């Protein structure tokens, strides 16, 4: 129904699910939690920067969270706006850094934001929570904040208010050099990161194959809960001579070229894939 299902995104070419999953939730409680978080975070940001820039950060961060989730979470579907919300939090952090000289209680604000991020990411290691979407949204929003939340310096603003005279002070720059550097670096990382993630996703890249410990970022098993409670099932999709198999319980899928896809052949390949 529009949720983020990697097999449908990659094999079914339903890339729109990377966007639609942001507006779906797993229940009333899930929806209310995200609405309350959006009220606390979004109102202040929107009053300060306007709904256009906040809307862009929200949407792009949500998309970034979906991309990272799709690269790591292979065995289950994912829904929710948490990635977009983490993007807003990440943008607040980068906004503080890039406009560092404009703040009075900058250290206190920085420590508060870092604490909020750490606590929320720690909650993401609980089962049934897609922490990869949180991390992807956080990184996307953090980089976007350097691009869209850059502010002019007070000296430049005050200079514009003063009428020019015979002994006018030297012209002040609108932004500091470090702000321009952060803007350029963040923009490059965003473009390269999103392009690379999209290409890898639709090529069937499974990030877990290259990072054996990364699954602990989303769930840490304990005596009270297990992280992989889904049954291991194998689904097959035949397109011409190409047989696509998905091991649902492990989040693994492979493509095979077969001359004749008999049921015995499919069962044999499924056993090899899911064992």
């Amino acid at each position: 129904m529009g949720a983020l299902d990697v097999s449908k995104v990659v094999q079914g070419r339903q890339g729109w699910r990377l966007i639609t999953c942001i507006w779906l939730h797993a229940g009333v409680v899930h929806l209310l939690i995200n609405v309350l978080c959006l009220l606390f975070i979004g109102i202040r940001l929107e009053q300060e920067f306007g709904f256009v820039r906040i809307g862009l950060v929200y949407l792009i961060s949500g998309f970034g969270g979906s991309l990272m989730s799709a690269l790591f979470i292979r065995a289950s579907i994912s829904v929710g706006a948490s990635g977009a919300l983490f993007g807003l939090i990440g943008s607040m952090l980068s906004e503080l850094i890039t406009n560092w000289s404009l703040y009075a209680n900058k250290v206190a604000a920085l420590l508060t934001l870092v604490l909020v991020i750490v606590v929320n990411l720690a909650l993401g290691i609980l089962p049934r929570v897609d922490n990869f979407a949180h991390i992807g949204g956080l990184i996307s929003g953090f980089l976007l904040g350097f691009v869209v939340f850059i502010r002019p310096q007070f000296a430049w603003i005050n200079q514009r208010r003063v009428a020019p005279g015979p002994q006018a002070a030297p012209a002040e720059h609108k932004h500091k050099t470090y702000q321009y550097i952060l803007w350029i670096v963040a923009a490059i990382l965003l473009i390269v990161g999103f392009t690379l993630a999209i290409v890898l996703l639709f090529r069937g890249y499974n990030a877990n194959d290259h990072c054996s410990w990364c699954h602990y970022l989303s769930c840490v098993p304990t005596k009270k809960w297990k992280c992989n409670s889904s049954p291991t099932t194998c689904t097959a999709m035949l397109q011409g001579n190409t047989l696509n198999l998905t091991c649902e319980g492990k989040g693994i899928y492979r493509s095979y070229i077969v001359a004749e896809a008999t049921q015995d052949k499919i069962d044999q390949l499924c056993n090899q894939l899911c064992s």
Side-chain angles (χ1 to χ4, degrees):
M1 298 177 67
L4 180 56
D5 187 331
V6 177
S7 61
K8 289 183 171 62
V9 170
V10 178
Q11 299 172 13
R13 298 299 176 183
Q14 299 177 9
W16 46 268
R17 290 177 178 271
L18 294 166
I19 298 294
T20 55
C21 66
I22 303 171
W23 282 276
L24 298 176
H25 289 79
V28 176
V29 174
H30 186 201
L31 176 62
L32 289 177
I33 290 174
N34 279 351
V35 168
L36 289 174
C37 291
L38 184 59
L39 288 174
F40 282 114
I41 300 170
I43 287 180
R44 188 193 73 81
L45 285 173
E46 190 170 311
Q47 289 173 341
E48 200 163 349
F49 297 101
F51 74 93
V52 174
R53 284 192 281 181
I54 298 305
L56 283 174
V57 172
Y58 185 86
L59 291 174
I60 297 174
S61 298
F63 181 64
S66 297
L67 281 175
M68 179 161 283
S69 175
L71 289 171
F72 284 95
I73 305 294
R74 322 290 293 189
S76 58
I77 65 172
S78 179
V79 293
S82 300
L85 292 172
F86 266 82
L88 293 180
I89 298 175
S91 69
M92 292 172 66
L93 179 59
S94 55
E95 189 273 329
L96 173 63
I97 294 173
T98 194
N99 301 312
W100 186 257
S101 61
L102 305 181
Y103 282 89
N105 299 320
K106 56 192 74 174
V107 176
L110 177 63
L111 293 176
T112 301
L113 276 175
V114 171
L115 179 62
V116 169
I117 291 171
V118 170
V119 170
N120 281 277
L121 287 178
L123 292 175
I125 65 174
L126 295 172
R128 302 298 180 184
V129 179
D130 186 357
N131 214 25
F132 286 113
H134 298 171
I135 296 171
L138 178 68
I139 295 173
S140 301
F142 180 71
L143 294 175
L144 281 166
F146 291 118
V147 177
V148 300
F149 292 160
I150 183 172
R151 299 184 200 230
Q153 298 300 304
F154 281 136
W156 180 84
I157 296 174
N158 293 332
Q159 189 178 55
R160 296 190 66 189
R161 294 173 180 171
V162 177
Q167 295 182 343
E172 294 285 345
H173 293 289
K174 185 175 182 179
H175 300 105
K176 291 186 177 293
T177 303
Y178 79 88
Q179 290 180 299
Y180 288 116
I181 295 174
L182 289 173
W183 191 98
I184 293 172
V185 172
I188 293 173
L189 290 176
L190 277 170
I191 295 171
V192 173
F194 272 87
T195 302
L196 186 62
I198 292 171
V199 170
L200 290 176
L201 174 62
F202 284 99
R203 286 187 176 182
Y205 180 84
N206 186 352
N208 295 295
D209 292 340
H210 303 275
C211 183
S212 59
W213 56 268
C214 284
H215 61 278
Y216 291 117
L217 295 175
S218 188
C219 183
V220 176
T222 67
K223 294 181 179 180
K224 295 185 177 180
W225 65 70
K226 295 181 179 180
C227 292
N228 186 14
S229 58
S230 302
T232 301
T233 58
C234 184
T235 58
M237 182 182 297
L238 185 63
Q239 297 176 333
N241 292 331
T242 303
L243 177 65
N244 298 309
L245 297 181
T246 303
C247 187
E248 301 288 352
K250 294 186 176 181
I252 304 172
Y253 68 88
R254 295 284 187 275
S255 295
Y256 302 90
I257 304 298
V258 293
E260 184 178 357
T262 62
Q263 188 60 49
D264 290 340
K265 182 66 175 178
I266 294 174
D267 291 341
Q268 178 185 358
L269 293 174
C270 276
N271 289 332
Q272 293 176 0
L273 184 65
C274 297
S275 61

